[in-house]
Amino acid sequence: MLHFSRPELAQAYLKQLREGGEPIALFSPRRTGKTAFLRKDLTPAAAHAGLLAVYVDLWQDKQNPADAIVYALQAALDDLRVPKSRTARGLNTPVRKLGLFGASIDFGEDASARQPVKTHLLIDSLLHEVARAAGKRILLMIDEVQQLALTDSGDDLVAAIRASLTRQQNNVIAVLTGSSRDQLNELFFRARAPMYEFASVIKFPLLGRPFVEFAAVRHQRLTGVLPDTGVLLQAFDALEYRPKLLYRLLGHMEENPALDTAAALAEIEAERAAEMDLPGLWAGLSSLQKALLMRIAGGASGLYSNDALASYQKSLGVPVNPGSVKSAVNQLRKRSVLSKIGAEYEFEMKAFSAFIRQIAIPAGTKSGPGKRSAAPAAGKKSLRRR
């Protein structure tokens, strides 16, 4: 996939990390370019600045994210200690034993110490060993960090990682990313959360006009036709600023020159609805959950007001109490359908909101907010603020 590079943004984050010291947490919705930025912009920038970048994808093992951290650190340590050439590997002290949880690990006869058994201590030990073997500071990048909060021992693991990063702050700087506002709020803004106010939470800037112009010029090189950038930017907005989807849209136009941007967008939106199975998601919800989502999609505020409770009763034909509403809301949040932003709730998937407005809300009754604004600029802010 062609990459739109943002070196200035990478340099800005590195400067903040090196001068401020505390980790930064980057939020943006899924598939809006965070991972590509970490791997293709921040990693080479870190290397140029004399840092060793270690990337961890917690979605590599959603059920046991600690395993993903240990695996990435062990791989980094192996790369540092074991030369890549076959001859050099044969001359190097062999790695005698590797283990994950419930077992210790040794790295040959020259291992400085036997690694601890407990997972949380193992992560701390490996961070120390990687920094020592590298002889330089480590940039630890943990992608989809909200996954830590979704495991049974999530708080313990998060507390251990915070303690480890605090102990290793002279050796390790960290970038954390997440795609769920709701779950990141739980990690960083819940008063009793282990990572409460531990990181600078930054809204990762979505790709905007420069990226659209870049994609349009690429399309012109392939087809000889330069799309209207303004129209293409509107389509990018409708696609929630997801670069791969814009490339798909342009791909449809490359395959079928008769398609204009609007027609290609309609095809992409139809494909997305089928891929995400929005009809199936909708069908699997309870009547009360549907009523809640229809209220939010229609632009009404307040899910617990007397007016809201009356509307649920009218829709369902039975009285509805605030406790039932709270239970339904919590279920929708656990399924990553809704996020709590301040006192209000928003859809995690904007496409689902549009789907509901299309199939379930009568024409003329929609009172939702206006057209989404252009991609926001970078800046430090709480996710609770709009």
Side-chain angles (χ1 to χ4, degrees):
M1 176 63 68
L2 193 63
H3 177 64
F4 178 74
S5 182
R6 293 196 274 183
E8 296 85 2
L9 186 60
Q11 291 297 332
Y13 288 151
L14 282 179
K15 181 179 180 181
Q16 179 174 339
L17 284 165
R18 300 176 82 178
E19 293 180 357
E22 68 178 356
I24 62 175
L26 304 177
F27 162 77
S28 73
R30 288 186 62 195
R31 301 175 186 256
T32 51
K34 295 186 300 298
T35 298
F37 173 78
L38 294 182
R39 302 297 296 269
K40 298 181 179 181
D41 290 322
L42 196 55
T43 293
H48 185 72
L51 304 171
L52 175 67
V54 178
Y55 173 78
V56 183
D57 181 5
L58 294 190
W59 276 0
Q60 189 172 18
D61 190 338
K62 290 186 177 182
Q63 299 303 314
N64 300 289
D67 289 15
I69 298 174
V70 170
Y71 177 82
L73 292 174
Q74 287 181 332
L77 190 56
D78 183 57
D79 286 344
L80 289 166
R81 286 183 167 174
V82 183
K84 295 184 181 300
S85 73
R86 182 173 300 177
T87 301
R89 283 181 182 271
L91 296 173
N92 197 73
T93 301
V95 175
R96 290 204 316 267
K97 182 172 65 176
L98 283 174
L100 290 179
F101 309 121
S104 59
I105 60 176
D106 285 331
F107 287 95
E109 299 298 336
D110 60 347
S112 61
R114 191 172 175 83
Q115 298 291 335
V117 173
K118 290 187 177 180
T119 304
H120 303 159
L121 296 178
L122 179 57
I123 290 173
D124 181 71
S125 177
L126 286 170
L127 265 178
H128 176 74
E129 289 299 314
V130 170
R132 188 174 67 168
K136 60 181 72 174
R137 293 187 84 184
I138 306 301
L139 171 63
L140 179 65
M141 300 174 289
I142 302 181
D143 213 355
E144 301 299 348
V145 70
Q146 76 275 343
Q147 200 64 32
L148 294 173
L150 302 180
T151 61
D152 293 338
S153 59
D155 277 1
D156 291 340
L157 178 58
V158 171
I161 291 174
R162 174 173 183 157
S164 181
L165 289 176
T166 299
R167 280 194 296 271
Q168 304 284 351
Q169 60 184 336
N170 291 330
N171 299 321
V172 181
I173 54 179
V175 175
L176 318 172
T177 77
S179 56
S180 169
R181 284 174 294 193
D182 208 37
Q183 291 160 6
L184 284 182
N185 279 334
E186 284 294 305
L187 275 179
F188 297 110
F189 297 113
R190 180 169 56 88
R192 295 184 180 180
M195 278 195 179
Y196 178 63
E197 295 187 345
F198 177 59
S200 298
V201 181
I202 300 172
K203 194 168 185 179
F204 183 68
L206 302 177
L207 292 165
R209 180 176 288 275
F211 167 72
V212 170
E213 292 173 346
F214 170 82
V217 170
R218 173 181 176 272
H219 180 79
Q220 183 184 34
R221 288 200 304 267
L222 295 173
T223 66
V225 177
L226 181 65
D228 183 284
T229 301
V231 174
L232 205 57
L233 186 60
Q234 292 178 358
F236 194 38
D237 173 85
L239 295 173
E240 302 171 45
Y241 298 95
R242 299 185 175 186
K244 288 185 179 180
L245 291 180
L246 187 68
Y247 283 133
R248 270 175 64 180
L249 181 148
L250 291 170
H252 281 229
M253 295 171 64
E254 290 158 11
E255 293 172 1
N256 184 359
L259 285 180
D260 61 11
T261 303
L265 175 61
E267 289 188 358
I268 296 298
E269 289 179 329
E271 290 172 2
R272 289 186 71 204
E275 291 166 359
M276 292 186 289
D277 190 21
L278 298 181
L281 177 58
W282 177 253
L285 299 175
S286 71
S287 298
L288 179 54
Q289 289 172 338
K290 290 179 179 178
L292 295 174
L293 295 179
M294 288 171 63
R295 183 173 180 83
I296 298 170
S301 60
L303 298 181
Y304 297 92
S305 66
N306 290 334
D307 175 67
L309 295 176
S311 72
Y312 306 146
Q313 179 173 341
K314 180 179 179 180
S315 174
L316 305 180
V318 295
V320 176
N321 60 55
S324 297
V325 175
K326 183 177 181 180
S327 177
V329 167
N330 287 340
Q331 291 167 8
L332 291 169
R333 291 174 69 184
K334 287 181 180 179
R335 297 182 66 174
S336 297
V337 174
L338 289 181
S339 290
K340 187 175 183 180
I341 312 298
E344 299 296 332
Y345 295 89
E346 290 188 358
F347 283 84
E348 284 276 2
M349 298 182 293
K350 301 300 183 185
F352 195 31
S353 175
F355 172 83
I356 292 172
R357 288 196 298 271
Q358 181 180 4
I359 69 160
I361 302 178
T365 65
K366 303 166 189 174
S367 57
K371 191 179 189 302
R372 289 192 300 274
S373 62
K380 179 177 178 178
K381 60 181 71 178
S382 164
L383 296 180
R384 294 176 182 271
R385 298 172 187 164
R386 299 291 302 280

